[in-house]
Amino acid sequence: MVRTETPWGPWEPETPAVVARRFAGASTPWWIAGGYAIELAAGHAVRDHADIDVLLLRRDQLAAQRALAGWEWWAADPPGTLRRWAPGEPLPASVHDVWCRPGPAEPWRVQLMLDEAVGETWISRRDPGVRLPLAALGRRTPTGVPYLTPEAQLYYKAAAPRPKDERDFAAALPHLTPPQRAWLSRAIARTRPAHPWRARLAATQR
């Protein structure tokens, strides 16, 4: 487990297996997201992780409070502040991540990410024209851990790639099917037609 210091206290993220046990009773969909989602798609470790992301649909946000009952939940109110998320409180659309820990003396363990959906369609919070059927938004590991499909995760990482995002892209690229590569290229092109990842996506299809 990696420990990372932040101005709001240390992070010691749980593993995907532990998170899966905590959310096992959830009656709504959820997925491991972020860098761990890339590792689950690739089937091997890629790098260290400062946190672990769990994606839920905004309409299902209160399922996280039930799964992490007894914990502290702190909503990340932009720009750069944390405030307590009250039990049963619907978070506004401006809040799309929540830090969670077992108690005030404990490190942060889980970061919740909230995304939008209409009916059975996932809609990117960054661009409502970027969409996927909910049935195609996630996969499961052989042991049943749900994770965000890599093309959706890479779409978010493409906005401003950091070194760790470049490593995640390189790790995921061999595992993307032609339809996944095509979707990711189209999604990135909506805002950055000359993005360097698009050339690498095209090269793998030849």
Side-chain angles (χ1 to χ4, degrees):
M1 182 181 296
V2 176
R3 183 181 179 94
T4 305
E5 299 296 332
T6 80
W8 302 276
W11 263 95
E12 288 186 6
E14 294 192 327
T15 65
V18 171
V19 169
R21 289 197 292 271
R22 295 197 185 281
F23 281 81
S27 59
T28 56
W30 63 273
W31 304 268
I32 299 290
Y36 272 116
I38 300 300
E39 289 194 353
L40 294 175
H44 59 81
V46 174
R47 57 177 174 82
D48 290 335
H49 299 274
D51 59 13
I52 186 168
D53 299 329
V54 176
L55 178 69
L56 295 97
L57 302 180
R58 182 172 299 278
R59 66 194 184 197
D60 300 328
Q61 60 186 273
L62 296 182
Q65 293 189 346
R66 295 189 290 270
L68 301 176
W71 283 38
E72 289 190 353
W73 322 298
W74 290 72
D77 267 337
T81 61
L82 291 177
R83 55 97 172 168
R84 284 186 178 272
W85 182 21
E89 174 197 357
L91 292 171
S94 60
V95 173
H96 52 256
D97 66 282
V98 180
W99 290 21
C100 306
R101 61 187 177 187
E106 297 287 331
W108 301 105
R109 299 291 195 192
V110 175
Q111 181 169 342
L112 307 174
M113 309 299 293
L114 303 179
D115 260 5
E116 313 304 326
V118 173
E120 294 303 309
T121 301
W122 166 81
I123 301 173
S124 166
R125 64 178 179 270
R126 290 184 179 165
D127 180 349
V130 175
R131 303 181 174 212
L132 274 174
L134 286 180
L137 187 60
R139 299 178 177 178
R140 287 184 179 268
T141 68
T143 58
V145 178
Y147 62 94
L148 185 64
T149 194
E151 68 268 29
Q153 185 59 67
L154 291 171
Y155 166 71
Y156 280 127
K157 287 177 171 288
R162 301 155 292 183
K164 67 178 183 179
D165 300 319
E166 295 289 351
R167 292 184 65 184
D168 288 344
F169 177 74
L173 186 56
H175 302 277
L176 296 176
T177 65
Q180 288 174 310
R181 292 193 294 268
W183 181 92
L184 178 57
S185 183
R186 290 194 304 270
I188 293 173
R190 289 179 59 87
T191 53
R192 292 190 61 186
H195 196 293
W197 286 6
R198 296 193 67 226
R200 294 168 66 184
L201 288 163
T204 61
Q205 298 187 63
R206 294 176 186 148

